[in-house]
Amino acid sequence: MSTAAGTTAQAPARQLGWTDDGAAVEILLDGVSVLTYTYAADDPQAESPRPYFHPVRTPGGDLVSAYRPHDHVWHKGIAWSLPHLGPDNFWGGPSYRRGKDYQRLPNNGAMQHRETTKAADDDGTFSFAHRLQWITQQGSLVVEEERSFRVVPGTDASYTLVFDTAMTNVSGDDIHIGSPTTKGRENAGYGGLFWRGPRSFAGGTIMGPGGATGEELRGQRAPWLSFVGQHDGTCRFSTLVMVDDPGSAHPEPEWFARSEPFACMGPAPFFSKEVLFQAGTTLRFRYGVVVADGPSDQSRAEALATAARGVLAPASPAGK
């Protein structure tokens, strides 16, 4: 086991620390373990092994992520997951096929860690970067990826996770990236950076810009979306806000979000229309995820989204 640690005061009483055991990196904020990123996952092939963030906790220590829930064991906290990368599934579980519903197919690929390129306390934030290869279940290399994330302590009992991915198609062929909706399942366009909340968050509140609320936001385009849930035991509330990079070259994403029968949310860049991933080209996506203690009304959710856009503003290439 290798261990690295650092403490830097971003503001009074905001201390960052981290450890790395060779398969996962854990980040602490003011002594609280707020985030663990498993970058070398060993999950079953049928669950499309891939890196994930779990457990994810608020600065106050409340758990806001779920891992392997019994209804969808391939859901892993917060994870970059694509159910339809051409014929291959890098989401986990069964694959949807037009006119045939969901089927268990031998197409569950894996995102395999190859090299850590950065792990450092970086001027009051924690930064991590690594290289990955996407391998189909049959053993073909289709994507090489450079991925990075930062943990940025914030005000208002919050921090922002900045997620940045640059995927290069090395398969030698063009690939169409889609979703169950592009394959014929209505309003099921999930895929991308996907968060699964704890079971107690079922029935929580989904909010978007301009006062929009509820599951009618699913499939709508917006620069951000938020979710407020309540915890068992303590009965406290927590807030998550996911924000698209305002400098992105892509259109504002459509969103996949549910509060029943379970809590989940994520920008879905391939929701209703397939994206052509040409051979040899690179696709980049970048998001901010705010994790905050306490409930939020529309005003606070807007303020947290604005703060996240400020964190995202100084864009830099993945892995740099």
Side-chain angles (χ1 to χ4, degrees), residues 241-272:
V241 183
M242 302 183 80
V243 179
D244 185 41
D245 180 4
S248 172
H250 307 287
E252 284 185 352
E254 294 169 276
W255 290 82
F256 187 86
R258 303 180 71 173
S259 63
E260 295 286 358
F262 53 79
C264 67
M265 177 172 65
F270 319 106
F271 191 110
S272 60

PDB file of all heavy atoms in Angstrom, residues 241-272:
ATOM      1  N   VAL A 241     -25.816  19.274  -7.354  1.00  0.00           N
ATOM      2  CA  VAL A 241     -26.064  20.064  -8.559  1.00  0.00           C
ATOM      3  C   VAL A 241     -25.048  19.622  -9.604  1.00  0.00           C
ATOM      4  O   VAL A 241     -23.843  19.615  -9.344  1.00  0.00           O
ATOM      5  CB  VAL A 241     -25.923  21.575  -8.303  1.00  0.00           C
ATOM      6  CG1 VAL A 241     -26.252  22.355  -9.571  1.00  0.00           C
ATOM      7  CG2 VAL A 241     -26.828  22.020  -7.156  1.00  0.00           C
ATOM      8  N   MET A 242     -25.525  19.250 -10.782  1.00  0.00           N
ATOM      9  CA  MET A 242     -24.644  18.868 -11.884  1.00  0.00           C
ATOM     10  C   MET A 242     -24.720  19.943 -12.955  1.00  0.00           C
ATOM     11  O   MET A 242     -25.818  20.379 -13.346  1.00  0.00           O
ATOM     12  CB  MET A 242     -25.035  17.494 -12.446  1.00  0.00           C
ATOM     13  CG  MET A 242     -24.994  16.391 -11.402  1.00  0.00           C
ATOM     14  SD  MET A 242     -25.370  14.733 -12.064  1.00  0.00           S
ATOM     15  CE  MET A 242     -23.780  14.293 -12.784  1.00  0.00           C
ATOM     16  N   VAL A 243     -23.548  20.380 -13.433  1.00  0.00           N
ATOM     17  CA  VAL A 243     -23.441  21.533 -14.329  1.00  0.00           C
ATOM     18  C   VAL A 243     -22.621  21.151 -15.553  1.00  0.00           C
ATOM     19  O   VAL A 243     -21.531  20.586 -15.436  1.00  0.00           O
ATOM     20  CB  VAL A 243     -22.772  22.715 -13.589  1.00  0.00           C
ATOM     21  CG1 VAL A 243     -22.639  23.917 -14.515  1.00  0.00           C
ATOM     22  CG2 VAL A 243     -23.549  23.078 -12.334  1.00  0.00           C
ATOM     23  N   ASP A 244     -23.146  21.484 -16.716  1.00  0.00           N
ATOM     24  CA  ASP A 244     -22.392  21.290 -17.946  1.00  0.00           C
ATOM     25  C   ASP A 244     -21.364  22.403 -18.089  1.00  0.00           C
ATOM     26  O   ASP A 244     -21.590  23.541 -17.656  1.00  0.00           O
ATOM     27  CB  ASP A 244     -23.357  21.319 -19.143  1.00  0.00           C
ATOM     28  CG  ASP A 244     -22.678  21.002 -20.454  1.00  0.00           C
ATOM     29  OD1 ASP A 244     -21.829  20.097 -20.482  1.00  0.00           O
ATOM     30  OD2 ASP A 244     -22.991  21.659 -21.460  1.00  0.00           O
ATOM     31  N   ASP A 245     -20.217  22.091 -18.667  1.00  0.00           N
ATOM     32  CA  ASP A 245     -19.175  23.084 -18.897  1.00  0.00           C
ATOM     33  C   ASP A 245     -19.730  24.197 -19.789  1.00  0.00           C
ATOM     34  O   ASP A 245     -20.137  23.943 -20.933  1.00  0.00           O
ATOM     35  CB  ASP A 245     -17.978  22.416 -19.576  1.00  0.00           C
ATOM     36  CG  ASP A 245     -16.833  23.370 -19.862  1.00  0.00           C
ATOM     37  OD1 ASP A 245     -16.932  24.557 -19.465  1.00  0.00           O
ATOM     38  OD2 ASP A 245     -15.847  22.935 -20.471  1.00  0.00           O
ATOM     39  N   PRO A 246     -19.779  25.447 -19.296  1.00  0.00           N
ATOM     40  CA  PRO A 246     -20.324  26.522 -20.122  1.00  0.00           C
ATOM     41  C   PRO A 246     -19.505  26.789 -21.370  1.00  0.00           C
ATOM     42  O   PRO A 246     -19.997  27.408 -22.322  1.00  0.00           O
ATOM     43  CB  PRO A 246     -20.319  27.734 -19.183  1.00  0.00           C
ATOM     44  CG  PRO A 246     -19.301  27.412 -18.132  1.00  0.00           C
ATOM     45  CD  PRO A 246     -19.341  25.933 -17.969  1.00  0.00           C
ATOM     46  N   GLY A 247     -18.258  26.320 -21.411  1.00  0.00           N
ATOM     47  CA  GLY A 247     -17.419  26.505 -22.584  1.00  0.00           C
ATOM     48  C   GLY A 247     -17.413  25.316 -23.520  1.00  0.00           C
ATOM     49  O   GLY A 247     -16.619  25.272 -24.464  1.00  0.00           O
ATOM     50  N   SER A 248     -18.306  24.362 -23.310  1.00  0.00           N
ATOM     51  CA  SER A 248     -18.321  23.148 -24.115  1.00  0.00           C
ATOM     52  C   SER A 248     -18.650  23.446 -25.568  1.00  0.00           C
ATOM     53  O   SER A 248     -19.451  24.337 -25.880  1.00  0.00           O
ATOM     54  CB  SER A 248     -19.350  22.162 -23.551  1.00  0.00           C
ATOM     55  OG  SER A 248     -19.509  21.051 -24.406  1.00  0.00           O
ATOM     56  N   ALA A 249     -18.039  22.670 -26.452  1.00  0.00           N
ATOM     57  CA  ALA A 249     -18.342  22.788 -27.876  1.00  0.00           C
ATOM     58  C   ALA A 249     -19.639  22.073 -28.235  1.00  0.00           C
ATOM     59  O   ALA A 249     -20.165  22.248 -29.336  1.00  0.00           O
ATOM     60  CB  ALA A 249     -17.188  22.199 -28.699  1.00  0.00           C
ATOM     61  N   HIS A 250     -20.168  21.272 -27.322  1.00  0.00           N
ATOM     62  CA  HIS A 250     -21.391  20.522 -27.573  1.00  0.00           C
ATOM     63  C   HIS A 250     -22.611  21.344 -27.169  1.00  0.00           C
ATOM     64  O   HIS A 250     -22.517  22.248 -26.333  1.00  0.00           O
ATOM     65  CB  HIS A 250     -21.378  19.216 -26.782  1.00  0.00           C
ATOM     66  CG  HIS A 250     -20.144  18.399 -26.997  1.00  0.00           C
ATOM     67  ND1 HIS A 250     -19.911  17.711 -28.165  1.00  0.00           N
ATOM     68  CD2 HIS A 250     -19.065  18.170 -26.209  1.00  0.00           C
ATOM     69  CE1 HIS A 250     -18.746  17.099 -28.088  1.00  0.00           C
ATOM     70  NE2 HIS A 250     -18.209  17.361 -26.914  1.00  0.00           N
ATOM     71  N   PRO A 251     -23.772  21.037 -27.713  1.00  0.00           N
ATOM     72  CA  PRO A 251     -24.996  21.704 -27.263  1.00  0.00           C
ATOM     73  C   PRO A 251     -25.269  21.392 -25.791  1.00  0.00           C
ATOM     74  O   PRO A 251     -24.741  20.420 -25.243  1.00  0.00           O
ATOM     75  CB  PRO A 251     -26.086  21.092 -28.162  1.00  0.00           C
ATOM     76  CG  PRO A 251     -25.367  20.452 -29.299  1.00  0.00           C
ATOM     77  CD  PRO A 251     -24.032  20.049 -28.781  1.00  0.00           C
ATOM     78  N   GLU A 252     -26.083  22.240 -25.145  1.00  0.00           N
ATOM     79  CA  GLU A 252     -26.500  21.915 -23.784  1.00  0.00           C
ATOM     80  C   GLU A 252     -27.092  20.510 -23.769  1.00  0.00           C
ATOM     81  O   GLU A 252     -27.867  20.145 -24.651  1.00  0.00           O
ATOM     82  CB  GLU A 252     -27.557  22.907 -23.289  1.00  0.00           C
ATOM     83  CG  GLU A 252     -27.007  24.256 -22.900  1.00  0.00           C
ATOM     84  CD  GLU A 252     -28.073  25.163 -22.310  1.00  0.00           C
ATOM     85  OE1 GLU A 252     -29.262  24.788 -22.358  1.00  0.00           O
ATOM     86  OE2 GLU A 252     -27.722  26.245 -21.805  1.00  0.00           O
ATOM     87  N   PRO A 253     -26.746  19.713 -22.773  1.00  0.00           N
ATOM     88  CA  PRO A 253     -27.216  18.329 -22.777  1.00  0.00           C
ATOM     89  C   PRO A 253     -28.684  18.209 -22.424  1.00  0.00           C
ATOM     90  O   PRO A 253     -29.245  19.039 -21.710  1.00  0.00           O
ATOM     91  CB  PRO A 253     -26.356  17.677 -21.687  1.00  0.00           C
ATOM     92  CG  PRO A 253     -26.080  18.798 -20.732  1.00  0.00           C
ATOM     93  CD  PRO A 253     -25.915  20.021 -21.591  1.00  0.00           C
ATOM     94  N   GLU A 254     -29.301  17.181 -22.963  1.00  0.00           N
ATOM     95  CA  GLU A 254     -30.556  16.717 -22.387  1.00  0.00           C
ATOM     96  C   GLU A 254     -30.205  15.999 -21.085  1.00  0.00           C
ATOM     97  O   GLU A 254     -29.072  15.558 -20.902  1.00  0.00           O
ATOM     98  CB  GLU A 254     -31.269  15.786 -23.362  1.00  0.00           C
ATOM     99  CG  GLU A 254     -31.719  16.500 -24.633  1.00  0.00           C
ATOM    100  CD  GLU A 254     -32.185  15.542 -25.707  1.00  0.00           C
ATOM    101  OE1 GLU A 254     -31.319  15.027 -26.445  1.00  0.00           O
ATOM    102  OE2 GLU A 254     -33.393  15.315 -25.815  1.00  0.00           O
ATOM    103  N   TRP A 255     -31.187  15.859 -20.199  1.00  0.00           N
ATOM    104  CA  TRP A 255     -30.917  15.288 -18.881  1.00  0.00           C
ATOM    105  C   TRP A 255     -31.758  14.049 -18.646  1.00  0.00           C
ATOM    106  O   TRP A 255     -32.921  13.980 -19.065  1.00  0.00           O
ATOM    107  CB  TRP A 255     -31.215  16.319 -17.787  1.00  0.00           C
ATOM    108  CG  TRP A 255     -30.236  17.439 -17.780  1.00  0.00           C
ATOM    109  CD1 TRP A 255     -30.235  18.549 -18.586  1.00  0.00           C
ATOM    110  CD2 TRP A 255     -29.078  17.568 -16.946  1.00  0.00           C
ATOM    111  NE1 TRP A 255     -29.159  19.343 -18.305  1.00  0.00           N
ATOM    112  CE2 TRP A 255     -28.435  18.775 -17.304  1.00  0.00           C
ATOM    113  CE3 TRP A 255     -28.540  16.779 -15.923  1.00  0.00           C
ATOM    114  CZ2 TRP A 255     -27.268  19.213 -16.682  1.00  0.00           C
ATOM    115  CZ3 TRP A 255     -27.382  17.210 -15.291  1.00  0.00           C
ATOM    116  CH2 TRP A 255     -26.756  18.413 -15.673  1.00  0.00           C
ATOM    117  N   PHE A 256     -31.145  13.094 -17.968  1.00  0.00           N
ATOM    118  CA  PHE A 256     -31.892  11.950 -17.470  1.00  0.00           C
ATOM    119  C   PHE A 256     -31.953  12.082 -15.958  1.00  0.00           C
ATOM    120  O   PHE A 256     -30.911  12.198 -15.301  1.00  0.00           O
ATOM    121  CB  PHE A 256     -31.236  10.623 -17.861  1.00  0.00           C
ATOM    122  CG  PHE A 256     -32.078   9.436 -17.492  1.00  0.00           C
ATOM    123  CD1 PHE A 256     -33.069   8.993 -18.352  1.00  0.00           C
ATOM    124  CD2 PHE A 256     -31.917   8.787 -16.280  1.00  0.00           C
ATOM    125  CE1 PHE A 256     -33.877   7.910 -18.017  1.00  0.00           C
ATOM    126  CE2 PHE A 256     -32.707   7.720 -15.936  1.00  0.00           C
ATOM    127  CZ  PHE A 256     -33.690   7.273 -16.803  1.00  0.00           C
ATOM    128  N   ALA A 257     -33.164  12.084 -15.402  1.00  0.00           N
ATOM    129  CA  ALA A 257     -33.312  12.234 -13.956  1.00  0.00           C
ATOM    130  C   ALA A 257     -34.577  11.525 -13.503  1.00  0.00           C
ATOM    131  O   ALA A 257     -35.594  11.539 -14.208  1.00  0.00           O
ATOM    132  CB  ALA A 257     -33.375  13.711 -13.568  1.00  0.00           C
ATOM    133  N   ARG A 258     -34.485  10.919 -12.329  1.00  0.00           N
ATOM    134  CA  ARG A 258     -35.648  10.263 -11.720  1.00  0.00           C
ATOM    135  C   ARG A 258     -35.610  10.497 -10.219  1.00  0.00           C
ATOM    136  O   ARG A 258     -34.533  10.553  -9.621  1.00  0.00           O
ATOM    137  CB  ARG A 258     -35.628   8.748 -11.974  1.00  0.00           C
ATOM    138  CG  ARG A 258     -35.571   8.336 -13.409  1.00  0.00           C
ATOM    139  CD  ARG A 258     -35.563   6.834 -13.579  1.00  0.00           C
ATOM    140  NE  ARG A 258     -36.849   6.228 -13.246  1.00  0.00           N
ATOM    141  CZ  ARG A 258     -37.142   4.942 -13.437  1.00  0.00           C
ATOM    142  NH1 ARG A 258     -36.235   4.132 -13.943  1.00  0.00           N
ATOM    143  NH2 ARG A 258     -38.323   4.466 -13.128  1.00  0.00           N
ATOM    144  N   SER A 259     -36.785  10.584  -9.623  1.00  0.00           N
ATOM    145  CA  SER A 259     -36.884  10.556  -8.163  1.00  0.00           C
ATOM    146  C   SER A 259     -37.660   9.335  -7.686  1.00  0.00           C
ATOM    147  O   SER A 259     -37.637   9.017  -6.502  1.00  0.00           O
ATOM    148  CB  SER A 259     -37.537  11.837  -7.631  1.00  0.00           C
ATOM    149  OG  SER A 259     -38.866  11.960  -8.084  1.00  0.00           O
ATOM    150  N   GLU A 260     -38.351   8.667  -8.580  1.00  0.00           N
ATOM    151  CA  GLU A 260     -39.063   7.427  -8.284  1.00  0.00           C
ATOM    152  C   GLU A 260     -38.794   6.422  -9.396  1.00  0.00           C
ATOM    153  O   GLU A 260     -38.755   6.805 -10.572  1.00  0.00           O
ATOM    154  CB  GLU A 260     -40.583   7.671  -8.181  1.00  0.00           C
ATOM    155  CG  GLU A 260     -41.021   8.570  -7.036  1.00  0.00           C
ATOM    156  CD  GLU A 260     -40.947   7.873  -5.671  1.00  0.00           C
ATOM    157  OE1 GLU A 260     -40.585   6.673  -5.640  1.00  0.00           O
ATOM    158  OE2 GLU A 260     -41.233   8.526  -4.664  1.00  0.00           O
ATOM    159  N   PRO A 261     -38.597   5.137  -9.083  1.00  0.00           N
ATOM    160  CA  PRO A 261     -38.557   4.537  -7.738  1.00  0.00           C
ATOM    161  C   PRO A 261     -37.224   4.729  -7.024  1.00  0.00           C
ATOM    162  O   PRO A 261     -37.058   4.266  -5.913  1.00  0.00           O
ATOM    163  CB  PRO A 261     -38.802   3.055  -8.033  1.00  0.00           C
ATOM    164  CG  PRO A 261     -38.176   2.840  -9.379  1.00  0.00           C
ATOM    165  CD  PRO A 261     -38.431   4.119 -10.140  1.00  0.00           C
ATOM    166  N   PHE A 262     -36.272   5.389  -7.686  1.00  0.00           N
ATOM    167  CA  PHE A 262     -34.991   5.670  -7.046  1.00  0.00           C
ATOM    168  C   PHE A 262     -34.459   6.997  -7.569  1.00  0.00           C
ATOM    169  O   PHE A 262     -34.945   7.536  -8.573  1.00  0.00           O
ATOM    170  CB  PHE A 262     -33.969   4.545  -7.271  1.00  0.00           C
ATOM    171  CG  PHE A 262     -33.764   4.167  -8.718  1.00  0.00           C
ATOM    172  CD1 PHE A 262     -32.965   4.942  -9.554  1.00  0.00           C
ATOM    173  CD2 PHE A 262     -34.350   3.024  -9.244  1.00  0.00           C
ATOM    174  CE1 PHE A 262     -32.764   4.593 -10.888  1.00  0.00           C
ATOM    175  CE2 PHE A 262     -34.158   2.673 -10.576  1.00  0.00           C
ATOM    176  CZ  PHE A 262     -33.361   3.456 -11.397  1.00  0.00           C
ATOM    177  N   ALA A 263     -33.463   7.527  -6.869  1.00  0.00           N
ATOM    178  CA  ALA A 263     -32.880   8.818  -7.222  1.00  0.00           C
ATOM    179  C   ALA A 263     -31.715   8.634  -8.179  1.00  0.00           C
ATOM    180  O   ALA A 263     -30.796   7.850  -7.908  1.00  0.00           O
ATOM    181  CB  ALA A 263     -32.408   9.547  -5.965  1.00  0.00           C
ATOM    182  N   CYS A 264     -31.741   9.375  -9.291  1.00  0.00           N
ATOM    183  CA  CYS A 264     -30.610   9.360 -10.213  1.00  0.00           C
ATOM    184  C   CYS A 264     -30.661  10.621 -11.063  1.00  0.00           C
ATOM    185  O   CYS A 264     -31.711  11.259 -11.197  1.00  0.00           O
ATOM    186  CB  CYS A 264     -30.603   8.109 -11.090  1.00  0.00           C
ATOM    187  SG  CYS A 264     -31.979   8.025 -12.263  1.00  0.00           S
ATOM    188  N   MET A 265     -29.523  10.966 -11.648  1.00  0.00           N
ATOM    189  CA  MET A 265     -29.445  12.195 -12.431  1.00  0.00           C
ATOM    190  C   MET A 265     -28.159  12.190 -13.250  1.00  0.00           C
ATOM    191  O   MET A 265     -27.146  11.656 -12.806  1.00  0.00           O
ATOM    192  CB  MET A 265     -29.463  13.401 -11.473  1.00  0.00           C
ATOM    193  CG  MET A 265     -29.311  14.774 -12.096  1.00  0.00           C
ATOM    194  SD  MET A 265     -29.578  16.106 -10.884  1.00  0.00           S
ATOM    195  CE  MET A 265     -28.181  15.846  -9.767  1.00  0.00           C
ATOM    196  N   GLY A 266     -28.232  12.805 -14.429  1.00  0.00           N
ATOM    197  CA  GLY A 266     -27.010  12.965 -15.201  1.00  0.00           C
ATOM    198  C   GLY A 266     -27.259  13.645 -16.531  1.00  0.00           C
ATOM    199  O   GLY A 266     -28.318  13.444 -17.153  1.00  0.00           O
ATOM    200  N   PRO A 267     -26.309  14.463 -16.990  1.00  0.00           N
ATOM    201  CA  PRO A 267     -26.382  14.998 -18.346  1.00  0.00           C
ATOM    202  C   PRO A 267     -26.206  13.855 -19.332  1.00  0.00           C
ATOM    203  O   PRO A 267     -25.328  13.005 -19.168  1.00  0.00           O
ATOM    204  CB  PRO A 267     -25.214  15.982 -18.401  1.00  0.00           C
ATOM    205  CG  PRO A 267     -24.245  15.477 -17.377  1.00  0.00           C
ATOM    206  CD  PRO A 267     -25.064  14.841 -16.303  1.00  0.00           C
ATOM    207  N   ALA A 268     -27.058  13.824 -20.350  1.00  0.00           N
ATOM    208  CA  ALA A 268     -27.084  12.690 -21.278  1.00  0.00           C
ATOM    209  C   ALA A 268     -26.852  13.191 -22.694  1.00  0.00           C
ATOM    210  O   ALA A 268     -27.807  13.504 -23.419  1.00  0.00           O
ATOM    211  CB  ALA A 268     -28.419  11.952 -21.164  1.00  0.00           C
ATOM    212  N   PRO A 269     -25.593  13.293 -23.122  1.00  0.00           N
ATOM    213  CA  PRO A 269     -25.295  13.911 -24.420  1.00  0.00           C
ATOM    214  C   PRO A 269     -25.730  13.103 -25.630  1.00  0.00           C
ATOM    215  O   PRO A 269     -25.686  13.607 -26.756  1.00  0.00           O
ATOM    216  CB  PRO A 269     -23.770  14.067 -24.386  1.00  0.00           C
ATOM    217  CG  PRO A 269     -23.286  13.045 -23.419  1.00  0.00           C
ATOM    218  CD  PRO A 269     -24.372  12.924 -22.389  1.00  0.00           C
ATOM    219  N   PHE A 270     -26.170  11.865 -25.413  1.00  0.00           N
ATOM    220  CA  PHE A 270     -26.607  11.012 -26.527  1.00  0.00           C
ATOM    221  C   PHE A 270     -28.059  10.586 -26.326  1.00  0.00           C
ATOM    222  O   PHE A 270     -28.479   9.530 -26.782  1.00  0.00           O
ATOM    223  CB  PHE A 270     -25.695   9.779 -26.622  1.00  0.00           C
ATOM    224  CG  PHE A 270     -24.239  10.096 -26.408  1.00  0.00           C
ATOM    225  CD1 PHE A 270     -23.594   9.750 -25.234  1.00  0.00           C
ATOM    226  CD2 PHE A 270     -23.523  10.783 -27.371  1.00  0.00           C
ATOM    227  CE1 PHE A 270     -22.257  10.057 -25.024  1.00  0.00           C
ATOM    228  CE2 PHE A 270     -22.186  11.105 -27.183  1.00  0.00           C
ATOM    229  CZ  PHE A 270     -21.550  10.745 -26.003  1.00  0.00           C
ATOM    230  N   PHE A 271     -28.834  11.400 -25.611  1.00  0.00           N
ATOM    231  CA  PHE A 271     -30.185  11.041 -25.170  1.00  0.00           C
ATOM    232  C   PHE A 271     -31.091  10.670 -26.343  1.00  0.00           C
ATOM    233  O   PHE A 271     -31.638   9.559 -26.375  1.00  0.00           O
ATOM    234  CB  PHE A 271     -30.790  12.215 -24.381  1.00  0.00           C
ATOM    235  CG  PHE A 271     -32.058  11.900 -23.645  1.00  0.00           C
ATOM    236  CD1 PHE A 271     -32.059  11.849 -22.261  1.00  0.00           C
ATOM    237  CD2 PHE A 271     -33.264  11.684 -24.306  1.00  0.00           C
ATOM    238  CE1 PHE A 271     -33.218  11.562 -21.554  1.00  0.00           C
ATOM    239  CE2 PHE A 271     -34.431  11.402 -23.617  1.00  0.00           C
ATOM    240  CZ  PHE A 271     -34.416  11.348 -22.241  1.00  0.00           C
ATOM    241  N   SER A 272     -31.291  11.595 -27.269  1.00  0.00           N
ATOM    242  CA  SER A 272     -32.312  11.405 -28.304  1.00  0.00           C
ATOM    243  C   SER A 272     -31.753  11.306 -29.718  1.00  0.00           C
ATOM    244  O   SER A 272     -32.494  11.039 -30.661  1.00  0.00           O
ATOM    245  CB  SER A 272     -33.325  12.548 -28.252  1.00  0.00           C
ATOM    246  OG  SER A 272     -32.686  13.798 -28.463  1.00  0.00           O
TER     247      SER A 272
END
